[in-house]
Amino acid sequence: MRLPCARFLHCLLFAILAFSLCGRAGAAPLPPWTSDLQHTSWTRQDGAPSAVYSLTQDASGMLWFAATDGLYSFDGARFVRTDEVFGHKLRSPLTMAVAADGDAIWVSYQFGDISRFERGAVHHYVGEDSPPTTVFRFARTPDGVMWASSGTGMHRLEGERWREVGPSAGLPNGRPHGFSVLTDGSLLVYCADAIYRGAPGSAAGERRFVKVLDQPQLGSGYPRPDGKVVIKTRERGLRLFDPASGATAPLALHNGGAPLLGYEGDARGGLWVATGDAVQLLDGGGKLVRQFSTAAGFTDGIFNATLHDREGNLWFTTANGVDRVRQARLQTVALPPGFVPALSVTPGDGGAVWIGNSDRSGAFDFASFVLAPDGSRRSTAIMDVSASHRAPDGALWFGNDASLWRVRDGTSRRWPLPAGLTGRNVQAMTTGAGGALWVSVIGHGVHTFRDGAWHKGGGRAALAGPTAVTLATDRQGRTWFGYTDNHIAILDGETLRHYGPQQGLAVGNALAIVPGRAGAWIGGDRGLAWFDGERFVTLDERGGRGFRGVSGIVERADGELWLHDTGGLARVKAADLAQALESPGAGVAAERFDHLDGHRGMPAQMQPLPSLVQTGDGRLWFATSSIVGHIDPARIPRNPRPPTVMVTAIRTDQGSHAPAAGLVLPARTTRLEIDFTATALSMPERVRFRYRLTGQDLDWRETSGPRQAVYTNLAPGDYLFEVVAANEDGVWSPQPARAALRIDAAWTQTLWFRLACALALLAAAWLLHRWRLARLAARLREKMLVRTRERERIARTLHDTFLQSVQALVLRMHVLMGRLPADSGMRAEVEDVLGRAEYVIEEGRQQVRQLRVPGMRHGSLARALADAGRELAAASGVTFVERQAGRELALDPEIEDELFTIGREALSNAFHHARASQVTLALDYRAGKLRLAVSDDGEGIAPEILASGARQDHWGLPGMREAARLAGGVLEIDSTAAGTVVSICIPVTTAYQGMRRA
């Protein structure tokens, strides 16, 4: 393959820069690669850099890329081009090399100079402190010395200046092709015609180099995990160099004769070769293991730099982007050429598995083969397997559209299907309690087979018609028949029972029936169900996609449940399963093994079934439309390294802020966005986060989606944001990442402003209250004015009509009396009547005056009622007692009138109707209210009068109640056979003059 000259030079340059040993020394050994590798690529369209010169991984797990157009960081989910490191600006966006050294990041630039970035500081090496030309690579030896290779030679850092290491130290002048740090701390420098080795120096830091290999036209090299170094020469190809002995040996490549345009080793002992249109993985002996072609998605057939990260992933940079290769958790089997997508798996003896293939078109015949645990294969004569079954006695049964096969004790036997069944595939098989084989044939129902004899429906007409999709036999010897459309039948001895939706079955078409330790599991295209002996209980996945298309079920000896559905493999722990069965509505948590783990294709939804089995060595084997694979539940590769979580940015409506101590956000910040991430590079899609904002959140929030928390309408104050992350295996970061911040308060959000607002509200409420009182007082004055005018009208009417008429009658009586003789007895009676008439006129005039000017005629309520009481006592002969408590105050005239009316009526009733020996009048001006009470020791008021409120045609009691209501009080009457008490209480704010409010 011929490449343009520019590209050839480009590749040559990157071959010099390719190898990076940062972080390799002392790393835990990794198992060798297998062919089951997961590849992911990122290009410019995904935000990835291109033409990357160097890459490294820092202490937090973040990847850094030095590219033609700048420096990039990558957390596994997003590439970010940055102009600064740890808050410090780069000297130039044209970067050349990047290296992580502890907590520091070293960066070199295409036109010279070096920068060392740390969390709290940055140091730039420029001018005489820096190598005179571009630095291509950094590395630190175990003795603590920092080394760099440039266009002029090797350099070491002494204090704050880079010193050139040249002929005085044993190295020739000129640019080296590269250098490597060996496990013993020595340094190998690859020059044009030789390799030089420098042992660790003296206490003063001196290091002398000696030539250990004289090799013309030498390229770069890399050390393998076994201590040997792979080198390349232009004429002799790849060779293995032993630094301990100085010997070399050829390294042959068995990769189909592909061109060698680049090469690199990794920490697993693999050799990666760039061929121009593909990147190949070779083992330590040069044998081809796997090939990634550009047609299959690799970004380019020539890689520039590689890195083995701390999680075991291998990263490549090319001219077009970035590629990641990692070991898949699910192991697959290389299938013979021509196998079509109808694969089956059947457990054999000793951990072996039988792999079959069915050609539904009938155009080809495919023989099944046996795969031993050691990987060896053995072909069989069994063709086009559409169904298989392992009997309790260890016999294996296989079927297709023409035959049945039985394999037992290493021998096989074949029986042709009866003439009426030929041409239709065997769908399912199981061994019944009596040892007969139950066989379901598509379109012909279920049959039993024993010693070459066939019996339709097993002698039962109900089983002869419909085709059973799946068959199974449980520990009790019952045979299960799974049909389409939520229908299952169980043959228990001679009893055949049918089950359906009425018994809770909701799996749709039954695809798998597996007896469990205490019941049976049923899988279908619509879900998973558990049969407890009476009813079916649906069990769904909690927080996931749900169990759909379950065509393979395995319950392991420890109670763990494995499913194979359209989403891949699902593992449910025994403890979680038991808890879910107690409350099935809540669902069950399941660990998924899907495309991220190497699962490809879809499990069979018709045949061959089942799509998941367990072999004797404990491995689980699965078949899909594309692959046959396996996983060992006891040896699942896990990622024990917790992700490093970090807060990357804090944004508000006003701008973006870097997380820093003492961060203060401006007042009136209405929206807060906090970006966070975690450096989990293997499966970033499965990283989960928990975060909370102390001061706002009461509990942790969990998310596996956007790496951002959004808050709105936050009040001013201090907040602390915390976030933790878990990798794909649920390993949580030990410490949360924290970001403290404070939102300033605007002057309208201060405590003084709030107090002022509260005082203003109180003042407004008080003013509103005063205004309301004024309105009520005005309305009351208006009502009083109306009442006064009405009283004046009544007074005028009484004066102008009634009193004048009575006065006229009195005058007329005087005229008549003058005509009577002086000694007439009639004259004395008329004079007495005239006296009374004069009293009535005077009384009327008093009432008129009272209507015009309210108030007591005698100056006080107490005196007026006392006069009325004494007058009634004199006329009736009953004892009258007066009592007064507190200092008498001037009453409101209206209230005084109403109370006088009530008191006089109560006195009159007591003297005239109570038949009492003593009547008491009590006035109490204490306790914040005025109380008027009239009591007697008489016989009380009849219950029917109290109930009705008055005697017939008498209005004394109703009048008193009306007067009490007008006065703003409530009339109370307490009457027993020992006497009666009539009382009324008026609040002081209503009763006393000058204190009335409403």
Side-chain angles (χ1 to χ4, degrees):
M1 178 179 180
R2 300 183 63 184
L3 297 176
C5 181
R7 185 173 183 184
F8 177 78
L9 294 176
H10 181 75
C11 298
L12 180 61
L13 173 63
F14 280 116
I16 298 174
L17 305 175
F19 184 64
S20 172
L21 289 171
C22 296
R24 288 193 181 184
L30 295 170
W33 296 106
T34 70
S35 60
D36 300 290
L37 302 177
Q38 293 287 96
H39 166 248
T40 307
S41 62
W42 293 266
T43 63
R44 297 285 288 184
Q45 184 177 355
D46 306 307
S50 59
V52 174
Y53 293 96
S54 173
L55 74 158
T56 190
Q57 186 176 30
D58 67 14
S60 68
M62 187 77 74
L63 294 184
W64 294 86
F65 300 85
T68 306
D69 62 338
L71 190 66
Y72 289 76
S73 64
F74 185 56
D75 58 5
R78 188 166 67 103
F79 289 90
V80 177
R81 184 184 181 279
T82 180
D83 291 326
E84 60 182 34
V85 180
F86 304 146
H88 306 290
K89 291 288 186 180
L90 295 170
R91 284 184 54 80
S92 169
L94 304 179
T95 58
M96 175 58 72
V98 60
D101 178 42
D103 293 329
I105 301 293
W106 292 82
V107 177
S108 69
Y109 305 95
Q110 295 183 27
F111 292 98
D113 298 340
I114 296 173
S115 296
R116 184 185 73 236
F117 298 94
E118 295 177 299
R119 294 289 177 181
V122 62
H123 184 86
H124 299 294
Y125 301 88
V126 298
E128 295 182 354
D129 295 338
S130 174
T133 58
T134 304
V135 169
F136 299 124
R137 181 171 169 251
F138 300 96
R140 185 182 294 275
T141 49
D143 57 4
V145 178
M146 197 72 181
W147 295 82
S149 63
S150 74
T152 58
M154 292 294 296
H155 305 266
R156 60 178 290 163
L157 182 63
E158 297 180 0
E160 297 298 328
R161 172 173 291 189
W162 288 91
R163 301 290 186 183
E164 185 174 353
V165 180
S168 62
L171 287 178
N173 290 319
R175 182 179 66 187
H177 290 169
F179 67 94
S180 300
V181 179
L182 302 183
T183 55
D184 63 355
S186 60
L187 199 67
L188 287 186
V189 180
Y190 309 102
C191 296
D193 297 317
I195 297 178
Y196 294 84
R197 182 175 184 177
S202 63
E206 293 295 333
R207 185 182 293 252
R208 298 291 302 175
F209 288 86
V210 296
K211 183 186 293 186
V212 294
L213 179 65
D214 193 353
Q215 181 68 60
Q217 297 181 334
L218 182 69
S220 183
Y222 73 88
R224 299 198 316 183
D226 61 4
K228 295 183 178 180
V229 180
V230 178
I231 59 176
K232 181 179 181 295
T233 64
R234 182 174 300 178
E235 293 182 353
R236 304 180 67 186
L238 293 182
R239 301 185 65 83
L240 285 178
F241 167 63
D242 186 356
S245 64
T248 64
L251 177 61
L253 302 183
H254 307 284
N255 63 340
L260 180 61
L261 301 181
Y263 69 98
E264 185 58 88
D266 62 45
R268 294 177 181 264
L271 173 63
W272 295 84
V273 174
T275 67
D277 56 5
V279 172
Q280 297 178 337
L281 167 63
L282 285 67
D283 61 16
K287 181 181 178 181
L288 181 64
V289 177
R290 179 77 182 272
Q291 177 170 285
F292 300 91
S293 66
T294 56
F298 215 83
T299 55
D300 201 318
I302 298 179
F303 52 82
N304 303 328
T306 64
L307 173 74
H308 220 121
D309 69 22
R310 65 184 188 181
E311 298 176 35
N313 307 302
L314 187 60
W315 296 82
F316 298 85
T317 64
T318 72
N320 298 321
V322 177
D323 296 86
R324 180 194 65 197
V325 175
R326 60 181 176 84
Q327 186 67 59
R329 291 182 174 181
L330 301 180
Q331 304 298 309
T332 59
V333 175
L335 298 174
F339 256 47
V340 296
L343 303 168
S344 64
V345 286
T346 309
D349 296 328
V353 62
W354 290 63
I355 300 175
N357 184 232
S358 175
D359 175 25
R360 298 174 186 170
S361 68
F364 303 95
D365 291 329
F366 296 98
S368 62
F369 64 92
V370 183
L371 186 65
D374 61 0
S376 61
R377 302 186 182 206
R378 176 174 56 86
S379 298
T380 73
I382 301 173
M383 313 293 291
D384 300 334
V385 176
S386 64
S388 61
H389 162 63
R390 181 180 176 89
D393 61 359
L396 302 180
W397 291 87
F398 301 92
N400 59 16
D401 61 350
S403 305
L404 282 182
W405 283 271
R406 185 190 66 192
V407 180
R408 185 169 58 188
D409 299 330
T411 62
S412 63
R413 183 177 177 183
R414 174 181 174 273
W415 290 271
L417 296 182
L421 303 181
T422 303
R424 306 301 294 271
N425 275 336
V426 173
Q427 173 64 34
M429 293 181 288
T430 188
T431 303
L437 182 70
W438 288 86
V439 182
S440 175
V441 181
I442 295 177
H444 295 287
V446 179
H447 305 255
T448 57
F449 175 77
R450 184 196 293 267
D451 299 329
W454 293 82
H455 297 280
K456 190 171 185 178
R460 295 167 181 81
L463 298 174
T467 301
V469 179
T470 182
L471 299 172
T473 302
D474 61 19
R475 291 179 174 86
Q476 290 75 34
R478 298 175 299 181
T479 302
W480 293 64
F481 306 85
Y483 299 98
T484 60
D485 198 21
N486 281 320
H487 179 204
I488 283 179
I490 302 177
L491 180 62
D492 187 0
E494 297 299 324
T495 304
L496 183 65
R497 299 184 180 89
H498 293 271
Y499 298 87
Q502 297 80 5
Q503 290 77 36
L505 186 61
V507 298
N509 301 322
L511 304 178
I513 299 177
V514 174
R517 291 180 296 175
W521 294 101
I522 296 90
D525 58 354
R526 295 185 181 178
L528 176 71
W530 164 257
F531 184 69
D532 60 7
E534 296 181 359
R535 291 188 60 82
F536 295 87
V537 179
T538 300
L539 191 65
D540 207 353
E541 183 180 8
R542 182 174 69 242
R545 64 183 300 277
F547 303 128
R548 298 294 180 268
V550 181
S551 60
I553 304 174
V554 170
E555 185 183 87
R556 303 187 70 229
D558 58 1
E560 190 173 80
L561 189 69
W562 285 77
L563 308 173
H564 192 200
D565 65 0
T566 56
L569 297 180
R571 170 179 173 260
V572 182
K573 296 180 181 179
D576 295 338
L577 192 63
Q579 184 177 1
L581 291 177
E582 293 180 359
S583 55
V588 64
E591 181 183 10
R592 280 286 179 180
F593 297 85
D594 52 21
H595 65 283
L596 297 175
D597 305 277
H599 188 277
R600 303 192 305 274
M602 295 289 290
Q605 298 293 287
M606 178 63 182
Q607 61 178 243
L609 297 176
S611 63
L612 178 68
V613 297
Q614 183 176 18
T615 54
D617 58 1
R619 288 185 295 174
L620 300 177
W621 287 83
F622 62 93
T624 73
S625 59
S626 302
I627 60 172
V628 170
H630 62 90
I631 185 172
D632 188 348
R635 296 176 180 85
I636 300 175
R638 298 296 186 185
N639 181 6
R641 186 179 293 275
T644 301
V645 63
M646 59 193 74
V647 180
T648 57
I650 298 175
R651 287 191 294 273
T652 67
D653 295 335
Q654 289 81 18
S656 181
H657 307 268
L663 176 62
V664 179
L665 301 180
R668 304 188 186 280
T669 296
T670 59
R671 181 179 175 87
L672 182 65
E673 298 177 359
I674 304 177
D675 293 342
F676 50 85
T677 190
T679 53
L681 303 178
S682 297
M683 296 186 189
E685 300 89 346
R686 291 184 183 168
V687 174
R688 292 179 292 152
F689 294 91
R690 290 176 183 163
Y691 65 87
R692 66 181 177 185
L693 184 64
T694 303
Q696 177 71 16
D697 294 328
L698 299 178
D699 202 355
W700 291 90
R701 303 186 186 186
E702 186 162 341
T703 180
S704 58
R707 301 182 175 194
Q708 184 183 73
V710 179
Y711 295 92
T712 57
N713 299 323
L714 292 176
D718 294 317
Y719 296 93
L720 177 64
F721 182 77
E722 297 179 294
V723 56
V724 293
N727 67 7
E728 64 272 19
D729 288 312
V731 180
W732 289 92
S733 49
Q735 296 294 332
R738 296 182 172 92
L741 58 96
R742 180 167 58 87
I743 299 178
D744 273 343
W747 68 272
T748 57
Q749 296 173 317
T750 60
L751 178 62
W752 294 109
F753 179 78
R754 293 176 181 176
L755 291 176
C757 290
L759 292 175
L761 287 175
L762 289 176
W766 183 79
L767 292 175
L768 181 62
H769 175 67
R770 295 294 300 174
W771 175 80
R772 177 64 176 166
L773 290 180
R775 288 292 303 274
L776 291 175
R779 292 176 60 187
L780 183 60
R781 285 194 297 270
E782 183 179 352
K783 291 181 179 180
M784 293 297 293
L785 180 59
V786 172
R787 185 175 179 182
T788 301
R789 290 175 179 174
E790 182 63 18
R791 291 165 66 102
E792 291 175 350
R793 186 188 65 80
I794 296 173
R796 288 194 303 271
T797 302
L798 289 174
H799 182 271
D800 296 340
T801 58
F802 177 74
L803 291 180
Q804 293 299 331
S805 298
V806 174
Q807 184 67 37
L809 290 175
V810 170
L811 293 176
R812 186 92 177 267
M813 290 295 294
H814 274 287
V815 172
L816 293 175
M817 187 183 67
R819 297 177 181 176
L820 294 176
D823 55 352
S824 171
M826 185 65 69
R827 185 182 179 94
E829 293 181 8
V830 172
E831 287 180 350
D832 184 60
V833 171
L834 287 174
R836 290 183 176 274
E838 293 289 347
Y839 180 79
V840 170
I841 292 173
E842 182 59 28
E843 184 73 18
R845 288 173 178 165
Q846 289 289 347
Q847 291 293 335
V848 169
R849 284 195 299 270
Q850 196 70 18
L851 286 172
R852 288 185 174 275
V853 183
M856 290 295 96
R857 74 196 80 178
H858 297 294
S860 73
L861 175 65
R863 186 178 305 171
L865 290 177
D867 291 345
R870 284 191 289 270
E871 182 178 349
L872 292 170
S876 62
V878 177
T879 303
F880 176 66
V881 178
E882 303 174 48
R883 292 176 182 168
Q884 181 174 324
R887 184 172 61 89
E888 183 177 6
L889 299 174
L891 299 176
D892 186 280
E894 299 291 336
I895 302 301
E896 191 177 46
D897 279 349
E898 304 298 349
L899 290 178
F900 177 75
T901 301
I902 295 170
R904 185 176 59 181
E905 181 66 24
L907 290 171
S908 177
N909 290 339
F911 279 105
H912 292 132
H913 305 295
R915 298 181 182 179
S917 60
Q918 178 177 308
V919 176
T920 301
L921 170 67
L923 279 168
D924 189 349
Y925 296 92
R926 301 172 302 175
K929 57 187 175 182
L930 170 64
R931 184 174 186 271
L932 167 65
V934 176
S935 60
D936 63 68
D937 57 358
E939 59 185 13
I941 302 174
E944 60 272 13
I945 296 177
L946 282 176
S948 61
R951 294 187 179 90
Q952 186 176 4
D953 298 329
H954 288 260
W955 304 101
L957 291 180
M960 285 194 293
R961 287 193 173 92
E962 291 174 359
R965 186 172 63 253
L966 291 173
V970 178
L971 184 71
E972 295 181 356
I973 301 176
D974 183 13
S975 180
T976 64
T980 301
V981 178
V982 178
S983 63
I984 179 174
C985 292
I986 308 295
V988 295
T989 55
T990 302
Y992 299 132
Q993 194 171 17
M995 299 180 68
R996 188 164 182 169
R997 295 291 180 266

